[in-house]
Amino acid sequence: MEGKEEDVKLGANKFAERQPIGTAAQSQDKDYKEPPPAPLFEPGELRSWSFYRAGIAEFMATFLFLYISILTVVGVAKAPSKCSTVGIQGIAWAFGGMIFALVYCTAGISGGHINPAVTFGLLLARKLSLIRAVFYMVMQCLGAICGVGVVKGFQTGLYESNGGGANVVARGYTKGAGLGAEIIGTFVLVYTVFSATDAKRNARDSHVPILAPLPIGFAVFLVHLATIPITGTGINPARSLGAAVIYNQRHAWDDMWIFWVGPFCGAALAAIYHQIVIRAIPFKSRP
């Protein structure tokens, strides 16, 4: 190379990224500056109303998410024939559709996480502070518990007799299979979140009318189709915790570790993959 040495640092920036096919290929590179990482600790947030407003938004979104989705799960479980209900496809649509709607409603206030695993992945990518991440997770879990509690309050008999929407590893599957399903399912979700909200993509393809909540909701829908028969599909620790707290049966707690370890591992892998492989951020030269 005419006396020039290649190394990892130069290699990450030496060649321009390939332009996508279609309308984005018609535009030239747009001005873009990598946003700085969020501070790990930002005590000043605790004095800001927007901080608490965002937490309330996460609480309400998770509350509504669990209310609609658990009602759908319980309704399908009570039916004598799956042909007389919306079935697995309907459950998947309920989860995916609610995530689409709620992310759309709350994205401008809190970012529309509605899931501790999503919050954890974004924390690892330094998209928010540790204080905000912990606050979001607490509010998400409280919202989930309240959402399932309202379902039980409205339809106690139906709720208790049909499993309460609790996540458990289905018969015929090992704990390892359940854990793997949760890791991969959450990876798909969090990777989609990173891709749909990537600031560089938005800067480059701002003329393309892409609605970020749509691919996120669709990812939730597809993951539910694949993993409902295995674990009932958690991929959201708040969802699993809320159902377990209100249903409060031993078998609902036996596998609870899977629905926390799996999503957090999947979220971490997605964050690492997107930041290091897709964006190559650690290898980019700093001015």
Side-chain angles (χ1 to χ4, degrees), residues 13 49 54 59 64-65 74 93 120 130 135 141 145 148 154 176-177 179 199 209 213-214 226 237-238 262 271 274 283:
N13 292 311
W49 164 241
F59 172 89
L64 295 172
F65 174 55
V74 172
W93 275 120
F120 180 67
L130 178 61
F135 183 49
C141 290
I145 293 170
V148 183
F154 285 175
L179 181 63
L214 182 58
H274 185 267
F283 306 115

Side-chain angles (χ1 to χ4, degrees), residues 14-28:
K14 188 168 185 179
F15 303 103
E17 293 185 17
R18 295 176 64 88
Q19 284 291 322
I21 297 173
T23 54
Q26 300 169 7
S27 64
Q28 301 297 321

Side-chain angles (χ1 to χ4, degrees), residues 30 42 45 47 75 87 98 136 143 161 167 189 201 209 220 226 243 246 249 269:
K30 297 186 177 181
E42 195 171 6
E45 287 185 313
R47 298 189 297 271
M98 281 302 291
Y136 277 14
S161 61
N167 286 125
L189 169 60
R201 168 175 289 183
V220 172
I246 300 301
Q249 298 293 325
L269 291 173

Side-chain angles (χ1 to χ4, degrees), residues 134-230:
V134 172
F135 183 49
Y136 277 14
M137 290 181 192
V138 171
M139 296 301 281
Q140 289 158 359
C141 290
L142 291 176
I145 293 170
C146 292
V148 183
V150 170
V151 173
K152 182 178 179 180
F154 285 175
Q155 303 191 42
T156 304
L158 179 67
Y159 177 86
E160 293 285 1
S161 61
N162 291 285
N167 286 125
V168 295
V169 177
R171 291 183 180 179
Y173 293 96
T174 64
K175 307 287 187 186
L179 181 63
E182 289 296 305
I183 291 174
I184 296 173
T186 311
F187 179 93
V188 171
L189 169 60
V190 178
Y191 178 42
T192 303
V193 170
F194 274 107
S195 298
T197 60
D198 191 299
K200 184 174 184 180
R201 168 175 289 183
N202 293 337
R204 184 188 64 196
D205 297 338
S206 58
H207 59 286
V208 180
I210 297 176
L211 191 61
L214 182 58
I216 296 171
F218 200 60
V220 172
F221 165 71
L222 293 174
V223 170
H224 275 76
L225 284 182
T227 59
I228 282 176
I230 304 174

